[in-house]
Structures are given as structure tokens and as C-alpha cells.
Amino acid sequence: MDTVFLRVTPSDPEKDVIKKAADCIKSGGLVIFPTETVYGLGADVFNPEAVKNIYKAKGRPSDNPLIAHIAEPSWVERLAREVPDGAYKLMDAFWGGPLTIILKKREGVPDAVTAGLDTVAIRMPSNSTANLLIRMADTPIAAPSANLSGSPSPTTFMHAKSDMDGRVDMIIDGGNADIGVESTVVDMTGQTPVILRPGAVTREDVASVCGDCIYGGEYSDAPKCPGMKYTHYSPKANVFAVKDFENFALPESAEAGRTAVINYDMYKTDGVLFYSAGNDDFDYAARLFYLLRKADEDKIDTVYAALPKDEGIGTAIRNRLLKSAGGKVI
Ligand code: TXA
Ligand code: MG
């Protein structure tokens, strides 16, 4: 298929441009759009055929459910049948923003979206382009990250294009994703909020609003976030997460042109390619996927990447980095 490319001004997206994309969604098409976390690959939640095409375009296993993106908190009622008080509090505190809330689904939400589960994942993005697109389409938009299954999520238009050109109807260029790691996923169907995927909204953030919050999903024995069992974020390069960079020496075998180091600005590493993670973990989150893809573009064999502290958004970076590294920590 010939993919159409659209471009908007991120701070004030042009309505006439977004209308084309919204019409495409309404007529069952696939549209890639920017969000504040990563680029998403969207289709109308209530069009099962269109949703199935998302899985085809990504090469994604069909037992990994999608997030329904909405434009207003009130749209939750189009998707969920039970909304506990805690969920409303989280919406007030963190929407629009990088928080996905799992709720019991309403009848009529297609199995193609939820992979047959009795629950549905819902998020209201803060990104203006995403919000306007969903609003103009006037339907929730099911959207996973806009990468081929298994590769790092796209945080730029170019990365979305390099994976998906020819596989979707439209791609909207709306600038770079600010946050750079996918939304926090919190399950609100039980007594206590359970974080199934860490993101920019932290466990402490959720606990501060709901009183309590625990980690679950891949942190527990029985993954409740089905996607967790699949390989993720893997560049072609071999990735190692480095715990203590100050006391780490590159192995003798590290070849100058084929090795890269991802580290904070304050710890420059000589001799091999230095990819700056920026000054803090917010910078690092915004750059991680970009740099993992750059390693492949630069034909790097081996990446040594600093493992952040397990706090704040660092927890989400660690989670994604350890997956890219296949668990290899040195
Ligand atoms: O930031 C984000 O969340 C991005 C942007 C595009 O919004 N989207 C994204 O989607 O990361 P995706 O499909 O790559 O990840 C969705 C995650 C998966 O791990 C999936 O298993 C989980 O959410 N999920 C979806 N529905 C679920 C459900 N009903 N119960 C448990 N986990 C669910
Ligand atoms: Mg993804």
C-alpha cells in the first residue's frame, strides 16, 4: 500500500490535516500518530477488521491486547463497565498523560482489541495531535507502539516511517515524543492498584492518589500483562546493561568502530562511540529507544548502556533496557 505522509505543527496541529487522518480512521484505515510517550499505530476500536490489520502491520501476536486511546475522561464509559473510585482519582491526577488504566470491559468492545480478555486498557494522551485526532475521529483509537513487533518503540517520525512505510495508510509527523518510554500500565480491577508496566507515572505517584500500589505482571509469577512474555526492544546489536559505569572498563575486545557506550553526560567514555543519555533520567528515557535504533544505523555490534537507579522514571528505563539486553547485566 502507498503510505500518505502528513505533517503538523506539534504545539498547534492543523485541523484540516488532522481531519484527513480522522476520516481515514473512520473508514477503517490505519494511521500512525505521535503521542507524548511513543508513536502509536491506530485504528477504530469498534472496527474489528481494522484492529486486526494493526496486528498484521506490526507482525504482532494476536494474544497481546491493545490500549484504547480516548479524548475525554467521559469516554471511559464507552469502554468500561465498572469504574472504581480510585480509577477516577487517577484520571483526575494523571490524564491526559502517560498512564494506562485497566478496567473491566463493556460488552461490545471487540475481542480483537482486548485479545479476548474481560478487561480493557484505556489511556488519554496529552499530546495535542493525538488528542485532536481521537476527538475528530469521534471514536476510541486502539493503538500499540508503531514499531515492527520486537523492535524498540519509535520516538520519532523517521523511526515510525522506517518500520511502517508501505504497511499503514497514513503517518503523521508531529515531532519527537517527549517522554520516550511507553505509558505506565496500572490494573484497577482488584482491591489494590497493580502496576503491570512501569512508566513515567511511578508506583509512588499512583500510591499517593490511591493510598496503595504494588508491582505485578512480569514482577510476579503469572504475567497478567500478556505482552510481557514477548521479546521487546531488541536492536540487532548485542546490548549489555552496565550497573556501575564509574568502575567499568571496556573489554579489550571492544572494537572502536563497532562498540558504543550509552551513558550520562558526566561520565564520558573515550575510545568508542559515545551516545549521550543526557543529564538525567528524563533525558535518558527520551533518548533510549532512539539510541538503540541509532546503534543499528551506525552498524554497531555491541552496546554498553548505563543501568539507571531503580527510582522515578529510572524504573521504566531499567525495565526496557534489561529487555533489550536480554537480561545481561555487567
Ligand atoms: O505509551 C503507550 O502506552 C503507547 C502509546 C502508543 O500510547 N502504547 C503502547 O502500546 O505501548 P503497546 O501495545 O505497545 O503496549 C500495551 C501494553 C502491552 O504490554 C499489553 O499487554 C498491555 O498494555 N495491555 C493491554 N491491554 C491489557 C489488558 N486488558 N490487561 C493487561 N494488560 C494489557
Ligand atoms: Mg509496544
Side-chain angles (χ1 to χ4, degrees), residues 48-208:
E49 285 313 309
V51 172
K52 283 182 195 149
N53 287 333
I54 293 179
Y55 290 89
K56 277 189 214 146
K58 277 185 64 98
R60 175 176 175 122
S62 60
D63 61 347
N64 190 2
L66 307 176
I67 297 170
H69 295 70
I70 60 176
E72 296 273 355
S74 63
W75 288 25
V76 161
E77 275 117 58
R78 302 190 193 182
L79 298 160
R81 68 170 190 272
E82 268 171 47
V83 187
D85 267 359
Y88 283 115
K89 287 187 193 157
L90 290 175
M91 294 172 206
D92 271 354
F94 303 113
W95 279 4
L99 180 70
T100 294
I101 303 178
I102 311 282
L103 296 167
K104 299 247 170 69
K105 82 164 190 181
R106 248 181 106 128
E107 217 179 309
V109 177
D111 282 340
V113 175
T114 62
L117 297 176
D118 186 39
T119 54
V120 59
I122 310 175
R123 166 163 122 79
M124 179 176 142
S126 61
N127 179 282
S128 312
T129 303
N131 196 280
L132 191 59
L133 172 66
I134 302 161
R135 198 175 294 277
M136 291 182 83
D138 193 26
T139 181
I141 295 183
S145 48
N147 50 287
L148 288 171
S149 200
S151 17
S153 300
T155 52
T156 66
F157 165 76
M158 284 309 290
H159 284 165
K161 177 168 183 267
S162 80
D163 276 19
M164 290 297 165
D165 193 359
R167 296 174 159 263
V168 297
D169 296 288
M170 288 184 184
I171 306 182
I172 307 175
D173 180 354
N176 297 349
D178 294 331
I179 295 173
V181 288
E182 305 87 346
S183 60
T184 305
V185 177
V186 63
D187 184 347
M188 293 301 289
T189 61
Q191 287 295 319
T192 307
V194 181
I195 294 206
L196 302 179
R197 178 175 72 180
V201 174
T202 64
R203 189 180 69 83
E204 289 75 19
D205 291 335
V206 174
S208 74

